[in-house]
Amino acid sequence: MGVTRRIIFPTIRLILWAVIAAALVKIAFAGADVTTVDTSLQPTGAVVEPTVEVSTATVTNAVTVQASVTADPAVVVRATLAGTVSKLLAADGAVVAVGTPVLEIRQETPQDPIVRTDPATGEQTTTERRPKVTLETVKAPVAGTLTLPTLKDQVVSVGDEVGKVAPGTLSVTGTLTPDQQYRLVGAPTQAAVTLTGGPAPFECTGLRVGATPTTGTQQVSDGTTSSSGSVTCAIPAGITAFPGLGATVEITNGTAADAVVVPITAVQGTVQAGNVWVVAADGTNEKRAVVLGLTDGKNVQVTEGLAAGDTILEFIPVPGGTGKQVDCSVDYDPMVCGG
């Protein structure tokens, strides 16, 4: 038994390791035997671009904007005449109505003296004239609380800030993405507002859609597109709100019933004009220009260029795909060509 453990078993292990090493060397330098591979097997799959049938539906262009309650900024009271403040007609901190007199400005304009000549002697007499005095009353442009830092006898020029009136009213203000700003072209003057933790939804008035102080779109660190516009809507009297409260503004900018619609993924462009790829009976497709209408963010209305029942590609074709290629040098679009 001692001989078996000391001599026979170690010898067998050495032989086995030698066989395994030889086999690995052969595989590494000679390669595997592939003579049995069936070369008749060939891939038979084909890439088929998905299509969609043009249909009709009701499209409602409703845009929801996350906003917050802000205090309306104070309105500047400006001097409307160059001169000296002769009277203060309202006190600092007073509550004023629209058109309330705030202060009076006095302007003195020198006049040329009157020169008379005696026809008999030729002697001239000069008479000085008093300056021409003009008085201008500056009035409050809006109702609210007046801040009046201007002093009596202070010299002012036209356009100088002589005071401010804080209206004490509130608005909801939110930012818009470029897509939302396009969808709100020609927006109505009212919207539905819901205050976080506040009263039931209500209608706000004086809706204004405009650009943000920074022009153009900007890319932020996570790669998303920053806001490029703003929306502001006045909170009506009687609604209790506080600056800083969160709010949701829902703006409905048109509804179209029984409209010809297609998925937005099938259209190159989203506003006014676009392109779709119409599929023919033989399976080929061609680009067709269409006129676009309302969109709800998923589907877009096509007012010209398509009819219900037409078949189009569900997704914009990319260069190298099936069908006709998109020429990025002519029809460049970031969604199609990247970049």
Side-chain angles (χ1 to χ4, degrees):
M1 191 65 182
V3 174
T4 302
R5 291 181 178 178
R6 287 184 287 106
I7 299 175
I8 297 177
F9 285 168
T11 302
I12 294 174
R13 283 197 295 269
L14 290 174
I15 294 173
L16 290 175
W17 282 113
V19 172
I20 293 172
L24 292 175
V25 170
K26 180 180 179 181
I27 293 174
F29 291 97
D33 185 5
V34 295
T35 56
T36 58
V37 177
D38 187 356
T39 57
S40 64
L41 297 178
Q42 298 293 334
T44 58
V47 178
V48 178
E49 292 183 302
T51 61
V52 64
E53 184 175 304
V54 179
S55 60
T56 59
T58 298
V59 179
T60 300
N61 183 16
V63 178
T64 300
V65 182
Q66 297 303 314
S68 61
V69 178
T70 58
D72 291 332
V75 179
V76 174
V77 182
R78 299 191 181 278
T80 53
L81 182 70
T84 303
V85 177
S86 57
K87 293 181 182 179
L88 297 178
L89 304 176
D92 182 37
V95 177
V96 297
V98 178
T100 299
V102 174
L103 53 80
E104 182 183 79
I105 301 175
R106 176 187 176 92
Q107 181 188 72
E108 294 187 0
T109 305
Q111 299 189 80
D112 294 334
I114 299 175
V115 179
R116 294 184 177 89
T117 303
D118 189 324
T121 63
E123 182 180 356
Q124 290 184 334
T125 303
T126 301
T127 304
E128 297 292 338
R129 293 194 297 172
R130 293 182 177 180
K132 179 181 178 181
V133 176
T134 303
L135 298 178
E136 180 80 10
T137 300
V138 178
K139 301 178 180 179
V142 295
T145 303
L146 174 66
T147 299
L148 188 61
T150 305
L151 303 176
K152 185 177 179 300
D153 296 329
Q154 181 174 329
V155 177
V156 296
S157 300
V158 175
D160 283 355
E161 179 181 321
V162 296
K164 288 183 178 181
V165 179
T169 53
L170 300 174
S171 298
V172 288
T173 302
T175 56
L176 302 173
T177 64
D179 172 69
Q180 290 175 325
Q181 198 164 10
Y182 272 119
R183 291 176 61 184
L184 290 179
V185 172
T189 57
Q190 62 184 24
V193 176
T194 303
L195 298 179
T196 303
F202 58 89
E203 293 290 325
C204 69
T205 58
L207 181 72
R208 302 187 303 276
V209 177
T212 54
T214 55
T215 58
T217 58
Q218 301 173 346
Q219 296 295 323
V220 292
S221 58
D222 61 358
T224 59
T225 304
S226 67
S227 62
S228 68
S230 64
V231 60
T232 303
C233 195
I235 297 179
I239 299 295
T240 302
F242 308 97
L245 281 179
T248 300
V249 182
E250 184 169 344
I251 309 164
T252 301
N253 191 22
T255 299
D258 298 324
V260 176
V261 297
V262 298
I264 60 173
T265 57
V267 185
Q268 184 184 37
T270 56
V271 179
Q272 297 179 341
N275 297 315
V276 297
W277 277 258
V278 180
V279 180
D282 60 0
T284 60
N285 63 77
E286 65 175 0
K287 184 174 71 172
R288 180 183 299 179
V290 294
V291 179
L292 305 177
L294 302 178
T295 177
D296 58 8
K298 294 182 179 180
N299 297 313
V300 60
Q301 177 189 16
V302 177
T303 59
E304 294 180 20
L306 287 178
D310 290 344
T311 301
I312 61 174
L313 295 182
E314 186 176 0
F315 301 99
I316 299 172
V318 297
T322 60
K324 295 183 179 179
Q325 295 185 351
V326 177
D327 187 351
C328 290
S329 64
V330 178
D331 300 316
Y332 178 80
D333 189 294
M335 294 181 62
V336 180
C337 305

